[in-house]
Amino acid sequence: DTGVSQNPRHKITKRGQNVTFRCDPISEHNRLYWYRQTLGQGPEFLTYFQNEAQLEKSRLLSDRFSAERPKGSFSTLEIQRTEQGDSAMYLCASSKTDRGGVSSYNSPLHFGNGTRLTVT
Amino acid sequence: SQELEQSPQSLIVQEGKNLTINCTSSKTLYGLYWYKQKYGEGLIFLMMLQKGGEEKSHEKITAKLDEKKQQSSLHITASQPSHAGIYLCGADFDSYGKLTFGQGTILTVHP
């Protein structure tokens, strides 16, 4: 178990360019979450997957943002036509959820170290 | 998130002092999670509370969830410089595991 891995750690891009971030979750975790965090604020939820299915998207997530988890393992978050307001830390987290039977169990979210995006 | 309020926003203490951080929800929680974050890094899981009245401790950190499951506190005893960082509470409101976070409390511990 090497933890949640995110790449790149830092990305500087010019306004209008597209960027893509990658997240590799803990291997046995079936859920994967994307959050965005700006300075002085807590993380804000963007979207999450259970296996390869995207179950929820925040209203914060504009049409320029798209996330995929094609084989239920790693995930990518793409931002098209970046704007200066997109500058933030993008955090990925994973967890294990078991909702079978009469009870459900959600493990705590384990976070990666994030990708810091700067749009100039 | 206005659904979850943390106080204080920042805290400066002398090494060895005790301190408490509070997290208040506008509605009943399914679960409450405490995390610590160093600047520019990811969140490190500290503790999870799910039952009303529950209390958990790890080393010098104790977290409690009130009976109504709307308020939690994080207490650090005999603080050390290694405790410095940003403490965040995260709420699971619907049992689906997705967390809504407070704005964080910045803790500074002077040696």
Side-chain angles (χ1 to χ4, degrees), chain A residues 9 31 33 35 37 42 56 89 99 106 108-109 112-113, chain B residues 35 37 40 42-43 45 95-99 102-103:
Chain A
R9 286 297 310 275
R31 283 216 175 155
Y33 302 78
Y35 282 82
Q37 186 179 27
E56 187 176 342
M89 174 79 91
R99 301 190 69 82
N106 300 316
L109 272 61
N113 279 325
Chain B
Y35 287 84
Q37 185 179 29
L43 281 66
F45 171 70
S95 83
Y96 285 95
K98 180 190 81 178
L99 298 186
Q103 75 272 34

mmCIF file with all atom_site columns, all heavy atoms in Angstrom, chain A residues 9 31 33 35 37 42 56 89 99 106 108-109 112-113, chain B residues 35 37 40 42-43 45 95-99 102-103:
data_model
loop_
_atom_site.group_PDB
_atom_site.id
_atom_site.type_symbol
_atom_site.label_atom_id
_atom_site.label_alt_id
_atom_site.label_comp_id
_atom_site.label_asym_id
_atom_site.label_entity_id
_atom_site.label_seq_id
_atom_site.pdbx_PDB_ins_code
_atom_site.Cartn_x
_atom_site.Cartn_y
_atom_site.Cartn_z
_atom_site.occupancy
_atom_site.B_iso_or_equiv
_atom_site.pdbx_formal_charge
_atom_site.auth_seq_id
_atom_site.auth_comp_id
_atom_site.auth_asym_id
_atom_site.auth_atom_id
_atom_site.pdbx_PDB_model_num
ATOM 1   N N   . ARG A 1 9   ? 2.787   17.133 -9.406 1.00 0.00 ? 9   ARG A N   1
ATOM 2   C CA  . ARG A 1 9   ? 2.620   17.840 -8.133 1.00 0.00 ? 9   ARG A CA  1
ATOM 3   C C   . ARG A 1 9   ? 2.314   19.317 -8.371 1.00 0.00 ? 9   ARG A C   1
ATOM 4   O O   . ARG A 1 9   ? 1.554   19.928 -7.635 1.00 0.00 ? 9   ARG A O   1
ATOM 5   C CB  . ARG A 1 9   ? 3.885   17.735 -7.273 1.00 0.00 ? 9   ARG A CB  1
ATOM 6   C CG  . ARG A 1 9   ? 4.105   16.379 -6.630 1.00 0.00 ? 9   ARG A CG  1
ATOM 7   C CD  . ARG A 1 9   ? 2.992   16.016 -5.630 1.00 0.00 ? 9   ARG A CD  1
ATOM 8   N NE  . ARG A 1 9   ? 2.694   17.047 -4.660 1.00 0.00 ? 9   ARG A NE  1
ATOM 9   C CZ  . ARG A 1 9   ? 3.335   17.233 -3.524 1.00 0.00 ? 9   ARG A CZ  1
ATOM 10  N NH1 . ARG A 1 9   ? 4.361   16.479 -3.206 1.00 0.00 ? 9   ARG A NH1 1
ATOM 11  N NH2 . ARG A 1 9   ? 2.977   18.188 -2.679 1.00 0.00 ? 9   ARG A NH2 1
ATOM 12  N N   . ARG A 1 31  ? -13.780 3.515  -4.256 1.00 0.00 ? 31  ARG A N   1
ATOM 13  C CA  . ARG A 1 31  ? -14.273 4.880  -4.458 1.00 0.00 ? 31  ARG A CA  1
ATOM 14  C C   . ARG A 1 31  ? -13.107 5.829  -4.655 1.00 0.00 ? 31  ARG A C   1
ATOM 15  O O   . ARG A 1 31  ? -12.064 5.713  -4.017 1.00 0.00 ? 31  ARG A O   1
ATOM 16  C CB  . ARG A 1 31  ? -15.097 5.327  -3.267 1.00 0.00 ? 31  ARG A CB  1
ATOM 17  C CG  . ARG A 1 31  ? -16.482 4.715  -3.272 1.00 0.00 ? 31  ARG A CG  1
ATOM 18  C CD  . ARG A 1 31  ? -17.492 5.680  -2.752 1.00 0.00 ? 31  ARG A CD  1
ATOM 19  N NE  . ARG A 1 31  ? -18.830 5.114  -2.863 1.00 0.00 ? 31  ARG A NE  1
ATOM 20  C CZ  . ARG A 1 31  ? -19.829 5.463  -2.115 1.00 0.00 ? 31  ARG A CZ  1
ATOM 21  N NH1 . ARG A 1 31  ? -19.642 6.361  -1.168 1.00 0.00 ? 31  ARG A NH1 1
ATOM 22  N NH2 . ARG A 1 31  ? -21.006 4.924  -2.297 1.00 0.00 ? 31  ARG A NH2 1
ATOM 23  N N   . TYR A 1 33  ? -12.430 10.160 -5.197 1.00 0.00 ? 33  TYR A N   1
ATOM 24  C CA  . TYR A 1 33  ? -13.016 11.490 -5.086 1.00 0.00 ? 33  TYR A CA  1
ATOM 25  C C   . TYR A 1 33  ? -12.036 12.538 -5.606 1.00 0.00 ? 33  TYR A C   1
ATOM 26  O O   . TYR A 1 33  ? -10.832 12.417 -5.420 1.00 0.00 ? 33  TYR A O   1
ATOM 27  C CB  . TYR A 1 33  ? -13.308 11.831 -3.619 1.00 0.00 ? 33  TYR A CB  1
ATOM 28  C CG  . TYR A 1 33  ? -14.229 10.872 -2.899 1.00 0.00 ? 33  TYR A CG  1
ATOM 29  C CD1 . TYR A 1 33  ? -13.769 9.642  -2.438 1.00 0.00 ? 33  TYR A CD1 1
ATOM 30  C CD2 . TYR A 1 33  ? -15.555 11.210 -2.650 1.00 0.00 ? 33  TYR A CD2 1
ATOM 31  C CE1 . TYR A 1 33  ? -14.609 8.762  -1.770 1.00 0.00 ? 33  TYR A CE1 1
ATOM 32  C CE2 . TYR A 1 33  ? -16.400 10.343 -1.971 1.00 0.00 ? 33  TYR A CE2 1
ATOM 33  C CZ  . TYR A 1 33  ? -15.917 9.125  -1.541 1.00 0.00 ? 33  TYR A CZ  1
ATOM 34  O OH  . TYR A 1 33  ? -16.756 8.261  -0.865 1.00 0.00 ? 33  TYR A OH  1
ATOM 35  N N   . TYR A 1 35  ? -11.405 16.735 -5.167 1.00 0.00 ? 35  TYR A N   1
ATOM 36  C CA  . TYR A 1 35  ? -11.722 17.944 -4.423 1.00 0.00 ? 35  TYR A CA  1
ATOM 37  C C   . TYR A 1 35  ? -10.849 19.072 -4.945 1.00 0.00 ? 35  TYR A C   1
ATOM 38  O O   . TYR A 1 35  ? -9.775  18.851 -5.493 1.00 0.00 ? 35  TYR A O   1
ATOM 39  C CB  . TYR A 1 35  ? -11.431 17.763 -2.924 1.00 0.00 ? 35  TYR A CB  1
ATOM 40  C CG  . TYR A 1 35  ? -12.465 16.975 -2.159 1.00 0.00 ? 35  TYR A CG  1
ATOM 41  C CD1 . TYR A 1 35  ? -12.465 15.578 -2.172 1.00 0.00 ? 35  TYR A CD1 1
ATOM 42  C CD2 . TYR A 1 35  ? -13.433 17.616 -1.398 1.00 0.00 ? 35  TYR A CD2 1
ATOM 43  C CE1 . TYR A 1 35  ? -13.408 14.861 -1.462 1.00 0.00 ? 35  TYR A CE1 1
ATOM 44  C CE2 . TYR A 1 35  ? -14.382 16.905 -0.673 1.00 0.00 ? 35  TYR A CE2 1
ATOM 45  C CZ  . TYR A 1 35  ? -14.357 15.524 -0.714 1.00 0.00 ? 35  TYR A CZ  1
ATOM 46  O OH  . TYR A 1 35  ? -15.299 14.813 0.001  1.00 0.00 ? 35  TYR A OH  1
ATOM 47  N N   . GLN A 1 37  ? -9.160  22.820 -3.548 1.00 0.00 ? 37  GLN A N   1
ATOM 48  C CA  . GLN A 1 37  ? -8.915  23.625 -2.352 1.00 0.00 ? 37  GLN A CA  1
ATOM 49  C C   . GLN A 1 37  ? -8.188  24.905 -2.720 1.00 0.00 ? 37  GLN A C   1
ATOM 50  O O   . GLN A 1 37  ? -7.148  24.876 -3.372 1.00 0.00 ? 37  GLN A O   1
ATOM 51  C CB  . GLN A 1 37  ? -8.093  22.831 -1.340 1.00 0.00 ? 37  GLN A CB  1
ATOM 52  C CG  . GLN A 1 37  ? -7.914  23.533 -0.003 1.00 0.00 ? 37  GLN A CG  1
ATOM 53  C CD  . GLN A 1 37  ? -7.121  22.707 1.000  1.00 0.00 ? 37  GLN A CD  1
ATOM 54  O OE1 . GLN A 1 37  ? -6.295  21.881 0.621  1.00 0.00 ? 37  GLN A OE1 1
ATOM 55  N NE2 . GLN A 1 37  ? -7.361  22.907 2.291  1.00 0.00 ? 37  GLN A NE2 1
ATOM 56  N N   . GLY A 1 42  ? -11.336 25.095 3.211  1.00 0.00 ? 42  GLY A N   1
ATOM 57  C CA  . GLY A 1 42  ? -11.313 23.644 3.220  1.00 0.00 ? 42  GLY A CA  1
ATOM 58  C C   . GLY A 1 42  ? -11.550 23.112 1.815  1.00 0.00 ? 42  GLY A C   1
ATOM 59  O O   . GLY A 1 42  ? -11.987 23.842 0.924  1.00 0.00 ? 42  GLY A O   1
ATOM 60  N N   . GLU A 1 56  ? -21.634 11.219 -8.777 1.00 0.00 ? 56  GLU A N   1
ATOM 61  C CA  . GLU A 1 56  ? -22.105 12.561 -8.448 1.00 0.00 ? 56  GLU A CA  1
ATOM 62  C C   . GLU A 1 56  ? -21.117 13.611 -8.946 1.00 0.00 ? 56  GLU A C   1
ATOM 63  O O   . GLU A 1 56  ? -19.905 13.397 -8.895 1.00 0.00 ? 56  GLU A O   1
ATOM 64  C CB  . GLU A 1 56  ? -22.292 12.707 -6.939 1.00 0.00 ? 56  GLU A CB  1
ATOM 65  C CG  . GLU A 1 56  ? -22.934 14.033 -6.522 1.00 0.00 ? 56  GLU A CG  1
ATOM 66  C CD  . GLU A 1 56  ? -23.197 14.116 -5.027 1.00 0.00 ? 56  GLU A CD  1
ATOM 67  O OE1 . GLU A 1 56  ? -23.205 13.064 -4.348 1.00 0.00 ? 56  GLU A OE1 1
ATOM 68  O OE2 . GLU A 1 56  ? -23.390 15.238 -4.525 1.00 0.00 ? 56  GLU A OE2 1
ATOM 69  N N   . MET A 1 89  ? -5.433  24.021 -5.507 1.00 0.00 ? 89  MET A N   1
ATOM 70  C CA  . MET A 1 89  ? -4.878  22.692 -5.286 1.00 0.00 ? 89  MET A CA  1
ATOM 71  C C   . MET A 1 89  ? -5.984  21.693 -5.600 1.00 0.00 ? 89  MET A C   1
ATOM 72  O O   . MET A 1 89  ? -7.097  21.821 -5.076 1.00 0.00 ? 89  MET A O   1
ATOM 73  C CB  . MET A 1 89  ? -4.439  22.543 -3.829 1.00 0.00 ? 89  MET A CB  1
ATOM 74  C CG  . MET A 1 89  ? -3.983  21.139 -3.474 1.00 0.00 ? 89  MET A CG  1
ATOM 75  S SD  . MET A 1 89  ? -2.310  20.812 -4.024 1.00 0.00 ? 89  MET A SD  1
ATOM 76  C CE  . MET A 1 89  ? -1.420  21.307 -2.562 1.00 0.00 ? 89  MET A CE  1
ATOM 77  N N   . ARG A 1 99  ? -21.527 -1.617 0.660  1.00 0.00 ? 99  ARG A N   1
ATOM 78  C CA  . ARG A 1 99  ? -22.930 -1.314 0.962  1.00 0.00 ? 99  ARG A CA  1
ATOM 79  C C   . ARG A 1 99  ? -23.811 -2.542 0.814  1.00 0.00 ? 99  ARG A C   1
ATOM 80  O O   . ARG A 1 99  ? -25.010 -2.453 0.679  1.00 0.00 ? 99  ARG A O   1
ATOM 81  C CB  . ARG A 1 99  ? -23.449 -0.192 0.070  1.00 0.00 ? 99  ARG A CB  1
ATOM 82  C CG  . ARG A 1 99  ? -22.650 1.078  0.222  1.00 0.00 ? 99  ARG A CG  1
ATOM 83  C CD  . ARG A 1 99  ? -23.304 2.248  -0.481 1.00 0.00 ? 99  ARG A CD  1
ATOM 84  N NE  . ARG A 1 99  ? -24.534 2.653  0.179  1.00 0.00 ? 99  ARG A NE  1
ATOM 85  C CZ  . ARG A 1 99  ? -24.591 3.446  1.242  1.00 0.00 ? 99  ARG A CZ  1
ATOM 86  N NH1 . ARG A 1 99  ? -23.484 3.896  1.789  1.00 0.00 ? 99  ARG A NH1 1
ATOM 87  N NH2 . ARG A 1 99  ? -25.751 3.768  1.778  1.00 0.00 ? 99  ARG A NH2 1
ATOM 88  N N   . ASN A 1 106 ? -18.235 2.682  5.245  1.00 0.00 ? 106 ASN A N   1
ATOM 89  C CA  . ASN A 1 106 ? -17.404 3.592  4.461  1.00 0.00 ? 106 ASN A CA  1
ATOM 90  C C   . ASN A 1 106 ? -16.106 3.806  5.213  1.00 0.00 ? 106 ASN A C   1
ATOM 91  O O   . ASN A 1 106 ? -16.123 4.286  6.351  1.00 0.00 ? 106 ASN A O   1
ATOM 92  C CB  . ASN A 1 106 ? -18.089 4.954  4.293  1.00 0.00 ? 106 ASN A CB  1
ATOM 93  C CG  . ASN A 1 106 ? -19.419 4.853  3.580  1.00 0.00 ? 106 ASN A CG  1
ATOM 94  O OD1 . ASN A 1 106 ? -19.544 4.161  2.584  1.00 0.00 ? 106 ASN A OD1 1
ATOM 95  N ND2 . ASN A 1 106 ? -20.409 5.543  4.095  1.00 0.00 ? 106 ASN A ND2 1
ATOM 96  N N   . PRO A 1 108 ? -12.549 5.755  5.988  1.00 0.00 ? 108 PRO A N   1
ATOM 97  C CA  . PRO A 1 108 ? -12.173 7.157  5.853  1.00 0.00 ? 108 PRO A CA  1
ATOM 98  C C   . PRO A 1 108 ? -11.553 7.426  4.483  1.00 0.00 ? 108 PRO A C   1
ATOM 99  O O   . PRO A 1 108 ? -10.977 6.524  3.870  1.00 0.00 ? 108 PRO A O   1
ATOM 100 C CB  . PRO A 1 108 ? -11.127 7.355  6.957  1.00 0.00 ? 108 PRO A CB  1
ATOM 101 C CG  . PRO A 1 108 ? -11.362 6.264  7.923  1.00 0.00 ? 108 PRO A CG  1
ATOM 102 C CD  . PRO A 1 108 ? -11.877 5.110  7.123  1.00 0.00 ? 108 PRO A CD  1
ATOM 103 N N   . LEU A 1 109 ? -11.674 8.654  4.023  1.00 0.00 ? 109 LEU A N   1
ATOM 104 C CA  . LEU A 1 109 ? -11.017 9.045  2.780  1.00 0.00 ? 109 LEU A CA  1
ATOM 105 C C   . LEU A 1 109 ? -9.527  9.201  3.040  1.00 0.00 ? 109 LEU A C   1
ATOM 106 O O   . LEU A 1 109 ? -9.108  9.805  4.026  1.00 0.00 ? 109 LEU A O   1
ATOM 107 C CB  . LEU A 1 109 ? -11.579 10.374 2.265  1.00 0.00 ? 109 LEU A CB  1
ATOM 108 C CG  . LEU A 1 109 ? -12.800 10.321 1.359  1.00 0.00 ? 109 LEU A CG  1
ATOM 109 C CD1 . LEU A 1 109 ? -13.985 9.690  2.062  1.00 0.00 ? 109 LEU A CD1 1
ATOM 110 C CD2 . LEU A 1 109 ? -13.150 11.720 0.870  1.00 0.00 ? 109 LEU A CD2 1
ATOM 111 N N   . GLY A 1 112 ? -4.308  12.082 -1.488 1.00 0.00 ? 112 GLY A N   1
ATOM 112 C CA  . GLY A 1 112 ? -2.988  12.265 -2.071 1.00 0.00 ? 112 GLY A CA  1
ATOM 113 C C   . GLY A 1 112 ? -2.442  13.634 -1.691 1.00 0.00 ? 112 GLY A C   1
ATOM 114 O O   . GLY A 1 112 ? -3.104  14.406 -0.988 1.00 0.00 ? 112 GLY A O   1
ATOM 115 N N   . ASN A 1 113 ? -1.235  13.949 -2.168 1.00 0.00 ? 113 ASN A N   1
ATOM 116 C CA  . ASN A 1 113 ? -0.616  15.236 -1.849 1.00 0.00 ? 113 ASN A CA  1
ATOM 117 C C   . ASN A 1 113 ? -1.054  16.362 -2.766 1.00 0.00 ? 113 ASN A C   1
ATOM 118 O O   . ASN A 1 113 ? -0.612  17.498 -2.586 1.00 0.00 ? 113 ASN A O   1
ATOM 119 C CB  . ASN A 1 113 ? 0.908   15.115 -1.876 1.00 0.00 ? 113 ASN A CB  1
ATOM 120 C CG  . ASN A 1 113 ? 1.439   14.528 -0.588 1.00 0.00 ? 113 ASN A CG  1
ATOM 121 O OD1 . ASN A 1 113 ? 0.917   14.780 0.488  1.00 0.00 ? 113 ASN A OD1 1
ATOM 122 N ND2 . ASN A 1 113 ? 2.486   13.726 -0.686 1.00 0.00 ? 113 ASN A ND2 1
ATOM 123 N N   . TYR B 2 35  ? -9.084  15.679 10.145 1.00 0.00 ? 35  TYR B N   1
ATOM 124 C CA  . TYR B 2 35  ? -7.873  15.565 9.355  1.00 0.00 ? 35  TYR B CA  1
ATOM 125 C C   . TYR B 2 35  ? -6.904  16.668 9.754  1.00 0.00 ? 35  TYR B C   1
ATOM 126 O O   . TYR B 2 35  ? -7.303  17.720 10.244 1.00 0.00 ? 35  TYR B O   1
ATOM 127 C CB  . TYR B 2 35  ? -8.171  15.723 7.863  1.00 0.00 ? 35  TYR B CB  1
ATOM 128 C CG  . TYR B 2 35  ? -8.865  14.546 7.218  1.00 0.00 ? 35  TYR B CG  1
ATOM 129 C CD1 . TYR B 2 35  ? -10.255 14.418 7.298  1.00 0.00 ? 35  TYR B CD1 1
ATOM 130 C CD2 . TYR B 2 35  ? -8.150  13.575 6.530  1.00 0.00 ? 35  TYR B CD2 1
ATOM 131 C CE1 . TYR B 2 35  ? -10.897 13.328 6.703  1.00 0.00 ? 35  TYR B CE1 1
ATOM 132 C CE2 . TYR B 2 35  ? -8.778  12.494 5.931  1.00 0.00 ? 35  TYR B CE2 1
ATOM 133 C CZ  . TYR B 2 35  ? -10.146 12.379 6.028  1.00 0.00 ? 35  TYR B CZ  1
ATOM 134 O OH  . TYR B 2 35  ? -10.784 11.314 5.442  1.00 0.00 ? 35  TYR B OH  1
ATOM 135 N N   . GLN B 2 37  ? -3.541  18.876 7.993  1.00 0.00 ? 37  GLN B N   1
ATOM 136 C CA  . GLN B 2 37  ? -2.902  19.190 6.718  1.00 0.00 ? 37  GLN B CA  1
ATOM 137 C C   . GLN B 2 37  ? -1.705  20.109 6.957  1.00 0.00 ? 37  GLN B C   1
ATOM 138 O O   . GLN B 2 37  ? -1.811  21.106 7.663  1.00 0.00 ? 37  GLN B O   1
ATOM 139 C CB  . GLN B 2 37  ? -3.908  19.872 5.782  1.00 0.00 ? 37  GLN B CB  1
ATOM 140 C CG  . GLN B 2 37  ? -3.384  20.131 4.385  1.00 0.00 ? 37  GLN B CG  1
ATOM 141 C CD  . GLN B 2 37  ? -4.429  20.783 3.492  1.00 0.00 ? 37  GLN B CD  1
ATOM 142 O OE1 . GLN B 2 37  ? -5.300  21.505 3.947  1.00 0.00 ? 37  GLN B OE1 1
ATOM 143 N NE2 . GLN B 2 37  ? -4.353  20.504 2.184  1.00 0.00 ? 37  GLN B NE2 1
ATOM 144 N N   . GLY B 2 40  ? 0.498   23.009 1.657  1.00 0.00 ? 40  GLY B N   1
ATOM 145 C CA  . GLY B 2 40  ? 0.928   22.503 0.367  1.00 0.00 ? 40  GLY B CA  1
ATOM 146 C C   . GLY B 2 40  ? 0.893   20.994 0.222  1.00 0.00 ? 40  GLY B C   1
ATOM 147 O O   . GLY B 2 40  ? 1.344   20.463 -0.795 1.00 0.00 ? 40  GLY B O   1
ATOM 148 N N   . GLY B 2 42  ? -1.268  17.029 1.217  1.00 0.00 ? 42  GLY B N   1
ATOM 149 C CA  . GLY B 2 42  ? -2.583  16.434 1.339  1.00 0.00 ? 42  GLY B CA  1
ATOM 150 C C   . GLY B 2 42  ? -3.046  16.341 2.787  1.00 0.00 ? 42  GLY B C   1
ATOM 151 O O   . GLY B 2 42  ? -2.347  16.741 3.710  1.00 0.00 ? 42  GLY B O   1
ATOM 152 N N   . LEU B 2 43  ? -4.241  15.808 2.969  1.00 0.00 ? 43  LEU B N   1
ATOM 153 C CA  . LEU B 2 43  ? -4.835  15.680 4.292  1.00 0.00 ? 43  LEU B CA  1
ATOM 154 C C   . LEU B 2 43  ? -4.470  14.332 4.903  1.00 0.00 ? 43  LEU B C   1
ATOM 155 O O   . LEU B 2 43  ? -4.509  13.301 4.219  1.00 0.00 ? 43  LEU B O   1
ATOM 156 C CB  . LEU B 2 43  ? -6.363  15.777 4.202  1.00 0.00 ? 43  LEU B CB  1
ATOM 157 C CG  . LEU B 2 43  ? -6.993  17.156 4.061  1.00 0.00 ? 43  LEU B CG  1
ATOM 158 C CD1 . LEU B 2 43  ? -6.639  17.825 2.748  1.00 0.00 ? 43  LEU B CD1 1
ATOM 159 C CD2 . LEU B 2 43  ? -8.507  17.054 4.218  1.00 0.00 ? 43  LEU B CD2 1
ATOM 160 N N   . PHE B 2 45  ? -5.502  11.610 7.726  1.00 0.00 ? 45  PHE B N   1
ATOM 161 C CA  . PHE B 2 45  ? -6.630  11.196 8.557  1.00 0.00 ? 45  PHE B CA  1
ATOM 162 C C   . PHE B 2 45  ? -6.207  11.064 10.009 1.00 0.00 ? 45  PHE B C   1
ATOM 163 O O   . PHE B 2 45  ? -5.173  10.459 10.319 1.00 0.00 ? 45  PHE B O   1
ATOM 164 C CB  . PHE B 2 45  ? -7.179  9.862  8.039  1.00 0.00 ? 45  PHE B CB  1
ATOM 165 C CG  . PHE B 2 45  ? -8.189  9.225  8.934  1.00 0.00 ? 45  PHE B CG  1
ATOM 166 C CD1 . PHE B 2 45  ? -9.445  9.785  9.085  1.00 0.00 ? 45  PHE B CD1 1
ATOM 167 C CD2 . PHE B 2 45  ? -7.882  8.067  9.643  1.00 0.00 ? 45  PHE B CD2 1
ATOM 168 C CE1 . PHE B 2 45  ? -10.382 9.193  9.918  1.00 0.00 ? 45  PHE B CE1 1
ATOM 169 C CE2 . PHE B 2 45  ? -8.813  7.477  10.471 1.00 0.00 ? 45  PHE B CE2 1
ATOM 170 C CZ  . PHE B 2 45  ? -10.069 8.041  10.617 1.00 0.00 ? 45  PHE B CZ  1
ATOM 171 N N   . SER B 2 95  ? -24.453 9.338  4.735  1.00 0.00 ? 95  SER B N   1
ATOM 172 C CA  . SER B 2 95  ? -23.968 7.955  4.867  1.00 0.00 ? 95  SER B CA  1
ATOM 173 C C   . SER B 2 95  ? -23.340 7.421  3.600  1.00 0.00 ? 95  SER B C   1
ATOM 174 O O   . SER B 2 95  ? -22.974 6.246  3.544  1.00 0.00 ? 95  SER B O   1
ATOM 175 C CB  . SER B 2 95  ? -25.068 6.993  5.324  1.00 0.00 ? 95  SER B CB  1
ATOM 176 O OG  . SER B 2 95  ? -25.864 6.554  4.229  1.00 0.00 ? 95  SER B OG  1
ATOM 177 N N   . TYR B 2 96  ? -23.177 8.259  2.577  1.00 0.00 ? 96  TYR B N   1
ATOM 178 C CA  . TYR B 2 96  ? -22.592 7.761  1.338  1.00 0.00 ? 96  TYR B CA  1
ATOM 179 C C   . TYR B 2 96  ? -21.077 7.960  1.269  1.00 0.00 ? 96  TYR B C   1
ATOM 180 O O   . TYR B 2 96  ? -20.468 7.666  0.253  1.00 0.00 ? 96  TYR B O   1
ATOM 181 C CB  . TYR B 2 96  ? -23.281 8.405  0.131  1.00 0.00 ? 96  TYR B CB  1
ATOM 182 C CG  . TYR B 2 96  ? -24.650 7.815  -0.108 1.00 0.00 ? 96  TYR B CG  1
ATOM 183 C CD1 . TYR B 2 96  ? -25.792 8.414  0.402  1.00 0.00 ? 96  TYR B CD1 1
ATOM 184 C CD2 . TYR B 2 96  ? -24.790 6.622  -0.811 1.00 0.00 ? 96  TYR B CD2 1
ATOM 185 C CE1 . TYR B 2 96  ? -27.035 7.860  0.208  1.00 0.00 ? 96  TYR B CE1 1
ATOM 186 C CE2 . TYR B 2 96  ? -26.039 6.061  -1.015 1.00 0.00 ? 96  TYR B CE2 1
ATOM 187 C CZ  . TYR B 2 96  ? -27.153 6.681  -0.500 1.00 0.00 ? 96  TYR B CZ  1
ATOM 188 O OH  . TYR B 2 96  ? -28.390 6.122  -0.693 1.00 0.00 ? 96  TYR B OH  1
ATOM 189 N N   . GLY B 2 97  ? -20.503 8.515  2.340  1.00 0.00 ? 97  GLY B N   1
ATOM 190 C CA  . GLY B 2 97  ? -19.052 8.589  2.405  1.00 0.00 ? 97  GLY B CA  1
ATOM 191 C C   . GLY B 2 97  ? -18.448 9.856  1.850  1.00 0.00 ? 97  GLY B C   1
ATOM 192 O O   . GLY B 2 97  ? -17.280 10.141 2.069  1.00 0.00 ? 97  GLY B O   1
ATOM 193 N N   . LYS B 2 98  ? -19.231 10.646 1.114  1.00 0.00 ? 98  LYS B N   1
ATOM 194 C CA  . LYS B 2 98  ? -18.722 11.910 0.578  1.00 0.00 ? 98  LYS B CA  1
ATOM 195 C C   . LYS B 2 98  ? -18.633 12.911 1.725  1.00 0.00 ? 98  LYS B C   1
ATOM 196 O O   . LYS B 2 98  ? -19.562 13.035 2.510  1.00 0.00 ? 98  LYS B O   1
ATOM 197 C CB  . LYS B 2 98  ? -19.676 12.435 -0.492 1.00 0.00 ? 98  LYS B CB  1
ATOM 198 C CG  . LYS B 2 98  ? -19.252 13.739 -1.124 1.00 0.00 ? 98  LYS B CG  1
ATOM 199 C CD  . LYS B 2 98  ? -20.368 14.292 -1.984 1.00 0.00 ? 98  LYS B CD  1
ATOM 200 C CE  . LYS B 2 98  ? -21.400 15.003 -1.136 1.00 0.00 ? 98  LYS B CE  1
ATOM 201 N NZ  . LYS B 2 98  ? -22.482 15.605 -1.927 1.00 0.00 ? 98  LYS B NZ  1
ATOM 202 N N   . LEU B 2 99  ? -17.519 13.626 1.838  1.00 0.00 ? 99  LEU B N   1
ATOM 203 C CA  . LEU B 2 99  ? -17.311 14.554 2.953  1.00 0.00 ? 99  LEU B CA  1
ATOM 204 C C   . LEU B 2 99  ? -17.451 16.007 2.527  1.00 0.00 ? 99  LEU B C   1
ATOM 205 O O   . LEU B 2 99  ? -16.980 16.398 1.459  1.00 0.00 ? 99  LEU B O   1
ATOM 206 C CB  . LEU B 2 99  ? -15.929 14.345 3.564  1.00 0.00 ? 99  LEU B CB  1
ATOM 207 C CG  . LEU B 2 99  ? -15.655 12.974 4.182  1.00 0.00 ? 99  LEU B CG  1
ATOM 208 C CD1 . LEU B 2 99  ? -14.300 12.973 4.887  1.00 0.00 ? 99  LEU B CD1 1
ATOM 209 C CD2 . LEU B 2 99  ? -16.758 12.559 5.144  1.00 0.00 ? 99  LEU B CD2 1
ATOM 210 N N   . GLY B 2 102 ? -15.149 21.765 6.742  1.00 0.00 ? 102 GLY B N   1
ATOM 211 C CA  . GLY B 2 102 ? -15.111 23.105 7.292  1.00 0.00 ? 102 GLY B CA  1
ATOM 212 C C   . GLY B 2 102 ? -13.952 23.872 6.673  1.00 0.00 ? 102 GLY B C   1
ATOM 213 O O   . GLY B 2 102 ? -13.178 23.322 5.878  1.00 0.00 ? 102 GLY B O   1
ATOM 214 N N   . GLN B 2 103 ? -13.803 25.135 7.083  1.00 0.00 ? 103 GLN B N   1
ATOM 215 C CA  . GLN B 2 103 ? -12.785 25.978 6.451  1.00 0.00 ? 103 GLN B CA  1
ATOM 216 C C   . GLN B 2 103 ? -11.409 25.789 7.049  1.00 0.00 ? 103 GLN B C   1
ATOM 217 O O   . GLN B 2 103 ? -10.425 26.304 6.537  1.00 0.00 ? 103 GLN B O   1
ATOM 218 C CB  . GLN B 2 103 ? -13.194 27.461 6.511  1.00 0.00 ? 103 GLN B CB  1
ATOM 219 C CG  . GLN B 2 103 ? -13.043 28.097 7.883  1.00 0.00 ? 103 GLN B CG  1
ATOM 220 C CD  . GLN B 2 103 ? -14.280 27.933 8.739  1.00 0.00 ? 103 GLN B CD  1
ATOM 221 O OE1 . GLN B 2 103 ? -14.986 26.929 8.673  1.00 0.00 ? 103 GLN B OE1 1
ATOM 222 N NE2 . GLN B 2 103 ? -14.554 28.942 9.564  1.00 0.00 ? 103 GLN B NE2 1
#
